[in-house]
């Protein structure tokens, strides 16, 4: 049965404008509902505005699944339709056709607010930050199997947003069990460790940019891959013919997987140097000393929260790492700089990049438009889903 | 000989910050210089800040070619170095390697403020909007030949910015003569008519987006290409296997070339309908009536100048054409919407897209980040060079 929920002025307007959530302060008369119930949002005239899932004990009351009245008669039916639409979008855009791994569900971007799901070949990783999604997570896993054909599903609901609303962290296999999975991306293959890796195990968002680096790299290039994680950028460059690569990564687990990825891709050991250290220690030590034809910097989000203080500190960290990269860029080289901080706007990113390059007095060019996340990272204008910024930069030949 | 030019406070600061131009109000003591002379910009302490070309009788006094003191002893030498750097950037980024045509000089983005140069296989098209560039245009042509190997150079200096500062429009062959040239782009080939075509003859800026459409299109797709010009988007979709395409283009010259492009690419006539009409007439006539799996809209800049009135009128035009496109998009289809108005910001573009899609009550997804110009359209943060915005959108399967 579908319960009706009355949205007041602002809530009704938000729902009508296509928002993905309605806050509790904007709904009335909701006794007896529990998290995950299917509800129909109506306005004061009784018109059906949207259909969604109810959520208890959090600031969000309804996670909207689609506009208009509920065509479905159960939350399972509604979730299945939404998951099917998410899958079809990836098939239609060929992302799930051209690649064996992709983001299947991008939260609000897919009208599945509170849910992230990444597919790595035959393994799916799900992340819930909502009690409504929590209730249906087993059903969601089954539906994901049905559409994508995965045989393993791992739940990794450990985001801070989850803890903030009092939900316990959850890490567990919902279907099957698999330590690692190998995925393909262009010429490269990568081990993904869904249990211990960052986020869901891999950074699918940067795929378009890794493939762009693979296009640009070639024989004779020497590569510096800073914040290399498990080696995505550097390995692509090596497979495009680059003669050598230096990787800088602090995390021991990541370095272990990076070494496995190098072997997996048949990269000879003498072409590679892996520095298992932080960039800050590398800066202090003034290492590496040589310059490179290709430098990539894909740092963690240095600005983690709003406010001037956090921003100032984050700016400093970005500046230092971008400077580190640009100082090591030879003449006629390509540098890729990136930021995944939601709190650093696109304009601020460009300003930062131009400031750092200007400080070095290097003549440079930003090669085309600022680049963001891959097509599977869908959104509908929600700013927080448009966090990734990247710039490919050419350093002038005359630089010494 | 290199003359010294004194920049006052603001001018010196701008030059030091890496600006591409210094306005006349910010320089002193410049008797006897003529347009195109090489000048060294110094500050009050006599320090050399930048090296550039002098310009008479316009608000711009110096077009900066590089920072620091002049290493060159003539304007020709300075221009040659800058053109060589521009070419090397296109080779290094492989854009001039992967393609036979590309933007070689993107004005301020290449520190050749006032100059645009596009290469179409063995033909280059140059556009000057500066008296300094005007003086050296023959030398520039020779240098472009030297680096790129083109055998033909056409000058098409007809931009409004040129007329605004009192320069005559100029259209002429500076080297050779050639009515048309055929270029390759992925699977497709296109005639470019440099004399009568829009801009320099082709829209190289949208190349990444045309190639993305080629990736997404496939057998069974039906395509509507609105503002099709000479058919770039639609032809790529057809070559990827789309079964049919409808083109809407008002300009008679463009339609002629579009038909030639269809033949050039071996597209059977029964797969194509070309409507030589304006989109506004098509809207009035309610045509075409059917729906499509792929719709592309690449309109001219509907907002041509600053100000609320121009913006309001432009918004209406964008809204109508985006609505036209989305109304004809079937369920599970891909729509590409684009704007090349500098006066429409990225945020306004996203707002517009989401508003139009919401008005139709279609569930949709923007596939990844907003897309802009190709890597050969280099810039260094100059906002005006970051005018192109495009979004690939997926329309939900359930839409009827």
């Amino acid at each position: 049965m579908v319960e009706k929920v009355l949205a007041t002025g602002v809530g009704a307007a938000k729902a009508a404008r296509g928002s993905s959530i309605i806050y509790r302060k904007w709904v009335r008369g909701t006794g007896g509902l529990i998290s995950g119930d299917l509800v129909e949002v109506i306005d004061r005239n009784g018109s059906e505005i949207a259909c969604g899932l109810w959520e208890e004990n959090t600031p969000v009351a309804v996670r909207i699944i689609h506009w208009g009245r509920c065509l479905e008669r159960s939350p399972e039916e509604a979730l299945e339709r939404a998951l099917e639409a998410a899958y079809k979008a990836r098939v239609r855009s060929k992302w799930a056709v051209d690649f064996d791994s992709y983001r299947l569900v991008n939260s609000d971007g897919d009208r599945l607010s509170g849910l992230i799901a990444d597919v790595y070949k035959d393994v799916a990783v799900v992340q819930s930050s909502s009690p409504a999604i929590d209730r249906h997570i087993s059903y969601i896993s089954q539906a994901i199997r049905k559409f994508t054909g995965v045989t393993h599903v791992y739940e990794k609901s450990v985001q801070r947003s989850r803890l903030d609303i009092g939900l316990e962290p959850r890490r567990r296999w919902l279907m099957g069990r698999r330590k690692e999975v190998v995925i393909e991306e262009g010429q490269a293959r990568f081990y993904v460790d869904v249990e211990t890796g960052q986020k869901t195990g891999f950074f699918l968002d940067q795929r378009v940019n890794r493939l762009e680096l693979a296009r640009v790299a070639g024989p004779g290039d020497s590569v510096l891959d800073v914040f290399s994680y498990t080696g995505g950028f550097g390995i692509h460059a090596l497979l495009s013919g680059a003669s050598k690569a230096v990787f800088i990564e602090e995390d021991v687990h990541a370095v272990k997987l990076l070494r496995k990825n190098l072997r997996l891709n048949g990269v000879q050991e003498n072409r590679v140097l892996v520095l298992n250290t932080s960039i800050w220690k590398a800066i202090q030590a003034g290492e590496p000393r040589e310059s490179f034809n290709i430098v990539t910097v894909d740092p963690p989000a240095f600005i983690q929260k709003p406010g001037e203080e956090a921003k100032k500190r984050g700016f400093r960290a970005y500046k230092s790492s971008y400077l580190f990269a640009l100082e090591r860029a030879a003449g006629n080289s390509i540098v890729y700089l990136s930021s995944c901080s939601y709190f650093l706007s696109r304009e601020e990113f460009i300003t930062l990049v131009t400031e750092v390059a200007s400080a070095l007095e290097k003549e440079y060019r930003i090669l085309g438009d600022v680049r963001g996340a891959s097509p599977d990272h869908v959104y509908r204008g929600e700013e927080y889903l448009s966090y990734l910024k990247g710039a490919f930069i050419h350093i002038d030949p005359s630089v010494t």
Side-chain angles (χ1 to χ4, degrees), chain A residues 170-181:
Chain A
R170 298 203 302 204
R171 287 177 176 272
R172 53 182 176 157
W173 285 97
L174 294 169
M175 195 186 299
R177 175 178 292 272
R178 174 80 60 89
K179 176 79 184 105
E180 283 164 348
V181 55

Side-chain angles (χ1 to χ4, degrees), chain A residues 5-76:
Chain A
V5 167
L6 175 67
T8 56
V10 177
K14 290 246 172 196
R17 283 228 324 275
S19 170
S20 293
I21 54 169
I22 301 183
Y23 286 106
R24 193 160 312 280
K25 57 188 170 188
W26 294 326
V27 291
R28 296 279 165 77
T30 54
L33 288 169
I34 63 163
S35 282
D37 280 355
L38 191 65
V39 295
E40 195 162 70
V41 182
I42 56 171
D43 65 15
R44 288 183 199 282
N45 304 321
S47 304
E48 303 93 349
I49 313 168
C51 181
L53 298 182
W54 183 256
E55 192 170 299
E56 283 176 285
N57 305 322
T58 68
V60 173
V62 181
R63 308 235 173 204
I64 294 173
I65 289 192
H66 64 74
W67 292 356
R69 63 191 194 82
C70 284
L71 304 164
E72 307 84 2
R73 285 185 294 185
S74 71
E76 287 83 5

Side-chain angles (χ1 to χ4, degrees), chain A residues 37-218:
Chain A
D37 280 355
L38 191 65
V39 295
E40 195 162 70
V41 182
I42 56 171
D43 65 15
R44 288 183 199 282
N45 304 321
S47 304
E48 303 93 349
I49 313 168
C51 181
L53 298 182
W54 183 256
E55 192 170 299
E56 283 176 285
N57 305 322
T58 68
V60 173
V62 181
R63 308 235 173 204
I64 294 173
I65 289 192
H66 64 74
W67 292 356
R69 63 191 194 82
C70 284
L71 304 164
E72 307 84 2
R73 285 185 294 185
S74 71
E76 287 83 5
E77 209 182 309
L79 282 165
E80 187 162 328
R81 270 175 81 114
L83 287 164
E84 186 176 13
Y87 179 64
K88 282 196 174 168
R90 273 68 180 184
V91 172
R92 185 64 188 87
S93 66
K94 288 199 185 163
W95 210 250
V97 177
D98 292 347
F99 300 102
D100 62 11
S101 52
Y102 50 90
R103 172 147 295 189
L104 172 66
V105 177
N106 200 34
S107 190
D108 299 270
D110 282 296
R111 283 206 182 281
L112 283 161
S113 180
L115 177 66
I116 293 286
D118 284 340
V119 168
Y120 298 113
K121 213 166 176 181
D122 52 0
V123 178
V125 181
V126 292
Q127 290 192 311
S128 162
S129 56
S130 148
I133 297 293
D134 272 14
R135 175 177 148 196
H136 297 294
I137 200 73
S138 290
Y139 185 82
I140 288 167
S141 303
Q142 298 296 335
I144 289 175
R145 171 166 72 174
K146 180 175 158 187
F147 296 121
T148 66
V150 298
T151 48
H152 300 65
V153 180
Y154 185 66
E155 178 176 9
K156 197 176 186 180
S157 300
V158 293
Q159 308 97 293
R160 192 182 300 182
S161 57
R162 183 179 172 89
L163 312 184
D164 288 347
I165 54 170
L167 296 175
E168 290 289 304
R170 298 203 302 204
R171 287 177 176 272
R172 53 182 176 157
W173 285 97
L174 294 169
M175 195 186 299
R177 175 178 292 272
R178 174 80 60 89
K179 176 79 184 105
E180 283 164 348
V181 55
V182 173
I183 64 167
E184 289 177 41
E185 182 177 88
Q187 305 261 16
R189 296 201 293 160
F190 297 108
Y191 280 103
V192 178
D193 183 335
V194 300
E195 291 183 12
T196 63
Q198 285 178 43
K199 298 229 181 169
T200 65
F202 198 69
F203 292 96
L204 291 170
D205 52 356
Q206 290 272 27
R207 175 169 287 166
V208 278
N209 301 318
R210 282 190 297 268
L211 293 173
E212 177 70 3
L213 185 73
R215 192 187 65 76
V216 166

